Amino acid sequence: MRYLPHTDEDRQAMLKSIGADTVEDLYCDVPAKALLAEPVDLPSYAGEMDVEKTFSNFATKNLSPGCAPTFLGAGAYRHHVPSSVDYMIQRGEFLTAYTPYQPEVSQGTLQYLYEFQTQVAMLTGMEVSNASMYDGATATAEAVLMAGRATRRNRAVLAGGLHPHYFDVTKTSAKFLDIELVHPDSDPTHPALPESVIDLIDDKTSCVVVQTPDVFGRVIDLRPIAEAAHKKGALLVAVTTEVVSLGLLEAPGNQGADIVAAEGQSIGNALSYGGPYVGLFATRSKLVRQMPGRVAGETLDVEGQRGWVLTLSTREQHIRREKATSNICTNSGLCALAFTIHASLLGEGGLNRLARVNHANACKLADQLAAIDGVEVMNETFFNEFTVKLSKDASDVVEALAQKGILGGIPLQRLFPDRDDFANMMIVACTETNSDADMDTLVSALKEVL
């Protein structure tokens, strides 16, 4: 039975205090079509075995990435996570059901956060990292807000190759902060020219946000964009949805980025139907006091023993609200721990070899797909995913491949529903989990479908 501590009188008093007449008034911003008009049609109770059987039957209707050749990407990637990662994160000194953001957080938690930050700073080529964020999309939004604080400007240029979901989250975060977002279109049929964003930078621009590899899989050279942004006093925010790419591509920090926001799911974390994931956030030391979240640091106690402390925390729970950089509740602690352990097991050399295998597999698959009548590979550059143009509607092709037991790719129009010219395009990703047999299966099936 649920425990409901508030009486009707309590609720009415709270509603009156905030100027609402009913509880429904609190949801006035939610579209009516998204609200339930009546309770969900479910039995009021059922035995545990019955519930398990029902949901197991539901699950068998899914085509699971673990049971089928899978070529899905566009921000969430299937990689192999060693079973040792799962074993380590469940050890008692690490596992907690609570988000550990209090100053008295345990030494074990602080130590792995410190090591996580070090790994992220090294991966991104930056000087300082926070102790993780929700995911890559919220990290990107926080980067735009941070750039506004640091430059005291309110105009952000978001390059067209930014993942649409990342753009939507940023748009929502900027909505009530008087931040103007400039977001030019981008098209996989044309090269990703730096001029497309450089020409939009002016003296009011706080930052330029560029994703590399972008949502179409293209690798973007950040240097000319960084140079142009810095000339106008703006910051460059580099975004990465596939963190494994940093094992092979040059770090954004070495290309002039001032802030790096990335999704860390690929290392240590499963697909899990879209979350929870782990956002990576790193910046230059000079901007650290504008960074959201918190930083764990190393110190010595009175006896000279090495220890770890919560060094910087600019959330309103710790400092005055008007001085807080963000109220985002960092971090995805267990996901960050899984990232840290997997990255430690890989090491620098292992991550580089993993990235090379990803790229080699993607190159092999791209060559095979390009040889099929009715398939055109659009990318000149890519890491482990690319865009193809098909002779048929991509959604129909993906569905037909699924009927053959293959998760063949993501229709581009699913991400860009307003772009009818993307109807025949599909994003295909390839990782170390894709064998030669998987690729042969996809190629053979695609020939039959087209």
Side-chain angles (χ1 to χ4, degrees):
M1 179 179 291
R2 296 174 63 194
Y3 173 64
L4 302 173
H6 300 124
T7 64
D8 288 340
E9 290 74 18
D10 292 335
R11 298 189 190 94
Q12 288 302 318
M14 287 188 285
L15 288 169
K16 184 179 179 181
S17 177
I18 61 175
D21 293 329
T22 66
V23 173
E24 286 71 25
D25 290 345
L26 301 178
Y27 301 98
C28 61
D29 290 329
V30 180
K33 64 180 181 182
L35 293 172
L36 290 175
E38 54 189 22
V40 177
D41 182 20
L42 288 174
S44 57
Y45 64 90
E48 184 175 338
M49 285 194 299
D50 292 334
V51 172
E52 183 178 317
K53 187 182 297 182
T54 299
F55 280 95
S56 296
N57 289 335
F58 285 153
T60 58
K61 296 180 180 179
N62 292 328
L63 183 58
S64 168
C67 303
T70 303
F71 300 91
L72 307 181
Y77 305 88
R78 180 172 178 254
H79 289 282
H80 171 69
V81 179
S83 56
S84 49
V85 173
D86 190 48
Y87 169 76
M88 291 292 290
I89 66 173
Q90 295 188 65
R91 288 180 61 96
E93 55 268 50
F94 292 134
L95 184 64
T96 172
Y98 189 60
T99 301
Y101 56 75
Q102 265 70 13
E104 64 273 20
V105 61
S106 73
Q107 283 293 292
T109 298
L110 286 169
Q111 180 180 354
Y112 87 68
L113 291 179
Y114 179 82
E115 294 177 1
F116 170 85
Q117 294 165 186
T118 305
Q119 292 169 340
V120 173
M122 292 177 68
L123 270 172
T124 56
M126 304 302 285
E127 294 162 344
V128 60
S129 161
N130 70 14
S132 93
M133 309 197 82
Y134 296 149
D135 52 31
T138 49
T140 301
E142 288 290 341
V144 170
L145 304 189
M146 173 178 160
R149 292 191 299 272
T151 62
R152 298 181 185 275
R153 299 177 178 181
N154 65 346
R155 182 176 183 272
V157 176
L158 278 57
L162 181 66
H163 195 296
H165 296 171
Y166 285 42
F167 171 75
D168 288 343
V169 172
T170 303
K171 183 180 178 182
T172 300
S173 296
K175 182 177 179 180
F176 296 105
L177 295 175
D178 193 28
I179 296 176
E180 177 191 1
L181 300 183
V182 180
H183 186 49
D185 287 337
S186 185
D187 190 332
T189 61
H190 297 93
L193 298 175
E195 290 80 6
S196 64
V197 289
I198 289 176
D199 292 345
L200 298 173
I201 305 172
D202 62 19
D203 293 335
K204 297 180 181 177
T205 303
S206 62
C207 65
V208 182
V209 181
V210 184
Q211 179 179 325
T212 179
D214 71 3
V215 69
F216 307 116
R218 301 173 299 194
V219 178
I220 310 297
D221 183 3
L222 299 176
R223 290 181 181 81
I225 304 173
E227 183 179 353
H230 294 160
K231 282 182 178 177
K232 293 287 187 179
L235 304 179
L236 175 65
V237 176
V239 176
T240 300
T241 59
E242 171 55 291
V243 67
V244 173
S245 68
L246 298 180
L248 188 58
L249 302 176
E250 186 164 8
N254 298 340
Q255 299 185 61
D258 301 286
I259 306 172
V260 179
E263 173 54 63
Q265 170 266 321
S266 290
I267 298 181
N269 291 279
L271 287 169
S272 300
Y273 297 98
Y277 287 172
V278 52
L280 315 182
F281 195 103
T283 188
R284 306 283 180 191
S285 295
K286 63 182 180 182
L287 298 172
V288 68
R289 290 197 172 275
Q290 294 297 336
M291 186 168 64
R294 60 215 172 110
V295 176
E298 181 184 6
T299 188
L300 299 176
D301 66 12
V302 293
E303 298 176 347
Q305 300 293 316
R306 189 187 186 201
W308 289 269
V309 294
L310 203 55
T311 304
L312 183 67
S313 188
T314 51
R315 188 169 177 248
E316 68 177 39
Q317 281 194 336
H318 303 91
I319 61 176
R320 287 181 295 171
R321 173 172 291 183
E322 62 271 21
K323 296 291 185 181
T325 56
S326 170
N327 194 37
I328 190 168
C329 184
T330 59
N331 62 357
S332 300
L334 199 61
C335 297
L337 174 61
F339 178 99
T340 307
I341 292 172
H342 193 182
S344 299
L345 293 173
L346 283 169
E348 186 175 349
L351 180 62
N352 178 262
R353 288 194 293 275
L354 174 63
R356 289 184 182 280
V357 170
N358 272 248
H359 183 57
N361 281 354
C363 289
K364 189 184 300 180
L365 180 61
D367 289 343
Q368 290 180 296
L369 295 181
I372 301 174
D373 287 340
V375 179
E376 180 184 358
V377 176
M378 309 304 295
N379 293 53
E380 293 182 353
T381 60
F382 58 85
F383 170 61
N384 70 350
E385 66 182 331
F386 48 86
T387 303
V388 296
K389 187 174 184 179
L390 307 173
S391 57
K392 290 184 177 179
D393 185 280
S395 296
D396 295 340
V397 171
V398 167
E399 182 61 32
L401 291 173
Q403 295 299 321
K404 292 177 177 293
I406 303 166
L407 295 171
I410 294 181
L412 205 51
Q413 205 172 23
R414 182 174 172 186
L415 301 176
F416 299 89
D418 298 330
R419 294 292 300 266
D420 293 337
D421 54 325
F422 288 174
N424 286 19
M425 296 184 193
M426 179 173 74
I427 299 174
V428 180
C430 205
T431 71
E432 77 282 359
T433 64
N434 295 114
S435 65
D436 288 347
D438 289 343
M439 293 185 231
D440 292 341
T441 300
L442 174 63
V443 170
S444 177
L446 203 51
K447 288 178 179 176
E448 295 176 10
V449 170
L450 293 176

